[in-house]
């Protein structure tokens, strides 16, 4: 038995689980990981259209509608940033009393990290480090690479990608840069 379930992501991958938990009355919190370049007004309009289409034909879903369902069913919604919280409140229509920003954290063991092993292994010191997924535009990897062109320091980028045109552009730009690992 458990008292609470925490879902990471308000999307098609967690929708069925969230619906099941909701039907069974299980207390749930969700970290929505919700991002769009669309305004909250556009998100609200898309959800209204989605709801209308669902009344006409079952099985018509949108990403926004799925995210709104999951957040509506959850007891608490825990976005990572104030911008994401605004999208959740104003775009998905989730009441502010239910939303609490919880920034991503870093394990305390990294607070006093020693770069000696990395320096010994790769021979780099004084480098700029970027760790994280870089396969989507919202991660701003191209902007980072553009900025690195202007900085006379080596850089290390660690992370994965999903491929696609944005990742290809990043790899093309990075391939011509000196001091980038």
């Amino acid at each position: 038995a458990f008292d609470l379930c925490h879902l990471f992501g308000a999307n098609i991958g967690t929708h069925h689980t969230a619906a099941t938990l909701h039907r069974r009355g299980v207390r749930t919190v969700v970290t929505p990981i919700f991002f769009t370049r669309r305004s909250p007004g556009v998100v609200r309009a898309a959800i209204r259209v989605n709801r209308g289409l669902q009344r006409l034909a079952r099985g018509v879903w949108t990403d926004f509608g799925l995210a709104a369902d999951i957040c509506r069913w959850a007891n608490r919604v825990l976005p990572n940033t104030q911008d994401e919280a605004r999208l959740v409140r104003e775009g998905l229509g989730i009441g502010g009393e239910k939303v609490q920003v919880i920034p991503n954290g870093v394990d305390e063991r990294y607070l006093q990290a020693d770069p000696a092993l990395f320096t010994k292994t790769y021979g780099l010191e004084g480098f700029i480090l970027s760790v994280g997924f870089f396969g989507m535009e919202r991660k701003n990897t191209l902007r980072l690479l553009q900025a690195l062109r202007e900085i006379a320091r080596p850089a290390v980028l660690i992370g994965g990608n999903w491929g696609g045109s944005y990742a290809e552009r990043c790899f093309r730009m990075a391939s011509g840069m000196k001091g980038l690992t």
Side-chain angles (χ1 to χ4, degrees):
F2 51 89
D3 297 320
L4 180 73
C5 184
H6 187 171
L7 298 174
F8 291 89
N11 54 52
I12 194 166
T14 57
H15 191 268
H16 178 74
T17 301
T20 302
L21 293 168
H22 178 67
R23 277 193 307 273
R24 292 183 179 183
V26 176
R27 292 181 49 79
T28 307
V29 297
V30 62
T31 299
I33 313 172
F34 180 70
F35 173 82
T36 180
R37 293 195 188 282
R38 307 282 188 243
S39 71
V42 169
V43 172
R44 278 192 315 275
I47 291 170
R48 278 194 304 274
V49 168
N50 184 201
R51 299 282 186 248
L53 288 172
Q54 285 177 334
R55 282 191 283 278
L56 297 174
R58 292 188 53 152
V60 177
W61 297 343
T62 65
D63 291 343
F64 297 150
L66 294 170
D69 286 346
I70 294 166
C71 291
R72 190 177 66 251
W73 295 330
N75 297 88
R76 295 287 278 182
V77 181
L78 309 174
N80 294 138
T81 67
Q82 291 296 337
D83 286 342
E84 184 183 14
R86 186 175 139 265
L87 271 172
V88 166
R89 286 188 313 269
E90 297 175 19
L92 300 181
I94 304 305
E97 71 285 348
K98 209 174 173 176
V99 179
Q100 180 179 352
V101 174
I102 306 289
N104 284 334
V106 176
D107 194 306
E108 285 189 29
R109 67 186 170 140
Y110 297 110
L111 187 60
Q112 301 299 324
D114 181 359
L117 177 61
F118 189 92
T119 301
K120 180 181 175 187
T121 304
Y122 297 101
L124 289 174
E125 291 186 272
F127 56 89
I128 295 168
L129 175 65
S130 175
V131 179
F133 184 81
F134 59 87
M136 300 174 79
E137 286 186 58
R138 70 184 178 108
K139 298 296 185 172
N140 279 326
T141 306
L142 277 176
R143 297 257 181 164
L144 172 63
L145 292 168
Q146 290 167 348
L148 289 171
R149 286 180 169 171
E150 309 297 321
I151 300 171
R153 291 177 70 182
V156 176
L157 276 65
I158 300 172
N161 73 84
W162 285 341
S165 62
Y166 184 80
E168 289 173 18
R169 288 171 47 208
C170 292
F171 284 120
R172 273 196 308 275
M173 182 180 286
S175 68
M177 295 176 65
K178 187 175 183 176
L180 184 66
T181 303

